[in-house]
Amino acid sequence: MKLRYGMARPHITKADKRAVERVLDSGILSIGPNVEKFEKAFARQIGTRYAVAVSSGTAGLHCALIAAGITEGDEIITTPFSFVASANAILYVGAKPVFVDVDPVTYNMDPALIEKKITKKTRAILVVHIFGQPCDMAPIQRIAKKYGLTIIEDACESLLSTYRGKKAGTFGESSVFAFYANKQMTTGEGGMVCTNDARVARLCKSLRNQGRGENMQWLDHNRLGYNYRMDEMSAALGLSQMSVLASNIRERRRVARLYEKYLKSHERIIQVPRVAGGNTHTYFVYVVQLLKPGVRRDDIIEKLKRRGIASKPYLPSIHLFSFYKKRFGFKRGDFPISEGISDRALALPLYRGLTERDVKRIVATLTSVI
Ligand SMILES: *Cc1c(COP(=O)(O)O)cnc(C)c1O
């Protein structure tokens, strides 16, 4: 069913279309000049020395974990309140995700809960900057330093957000971004690993290309690698999308302000996103919490849908997915803050082009069905 208001909508310009068409006309559809150009521009944007383009954010997380030397039996501290990819990537390298519960304001990993989860097997902290807002990095960096742990950032949802003036993606040994169609900018499918470490960058380039040797000579495969390459159409689209990135984020913030304005008078039953002091938010999604007792979030989703408005439960806690429960024995109650947010959270339509009238109508419908 086509809804009047969908969840997300990519903003594709005429210049984007021309850029992709030029690649198609050139006949060089992979391993060409656009990937390198996109990487250079992206590294400059984030402020890291290197950026390595890959086929998805998930592939980027996999490469970042291998590059950090994570292997069978290692334990990685991470958050249960995330898109499943951040925990899955830990399983790809045979390591164990060790979840810590989240902060009720930012929904990000609560630094105060990390230390008691550290064991002799702990090797890294995989932070996830959720929904567009960075984690509280200062205490996390202190803990990582104290115990000799590597920090890897899943910055897939938080492109260009900042923590105390510093961009998400500049705190870890490596950081990963993603360009799926609903992110702040898109390449269709795609991801990027950012790092200041030349070794990590070289290794990620090799890993994405079947483990080929660093001199890129044919058939010199000196490690197990993957096909995680980004194609030229995606890279050209990404490069072109970078010129609308700032305005995409401005638009997301404008819509977020409008939601705030119209939800203000309902703050007792609808909790709007809160931004911690020192953070800026780039609104990958706009997620409210339904606070009214007795209101079932999933009923609200159904009622909104019948009125032409898309909404989604955002996000289910990873430890309660059946696969994770079966594999690790997790159960309800293990991470109560994360679970509570998962039960009440509702993502509302958010994309460039939503007008004040649209937001007003969405809020009026939401409050009427509640
Ligand atoms: C989007 C996203 C990813 C990567 O997703 P891909 O679909 O593989 O690009 C990873 N982690 C989080 C938190 C995400 O939101």
Side-chain angles (χ1 to χ4, degrees), residues 56-58 61 82-83 85 128 154 156-157 178 180 183 189-190 284:
S56 71
T58 310
L61 287 167
S82 173
F83 177 55
V128 181
D154 179 339
C156 292
E157 298 190 356
Y180 184 70
K183 311 269 169 172
E189 298 279 1
F284 161 61

Side-chain angles (χ1 to χ4, degrees), residues 55-61 81-87 128-131 154-158 176-183 188-191 284 314-315:
S55 53
S56 71
T58 310
L61 287 167
F81 194 76
S82 173
F83 177 55
V84 71
S86 56
V128 181
H129 307 302
I130 207 74
F131 293 168
D154 179 339
C156 292
E157 298 190 356
S158 292
V176 180
F177 293 88
F179 310 117
Y180 184 70
N182 64 349
K183 311 269 169 172
E189 298 279 1
F284 161 61
Y314 237 85
L315 292 155

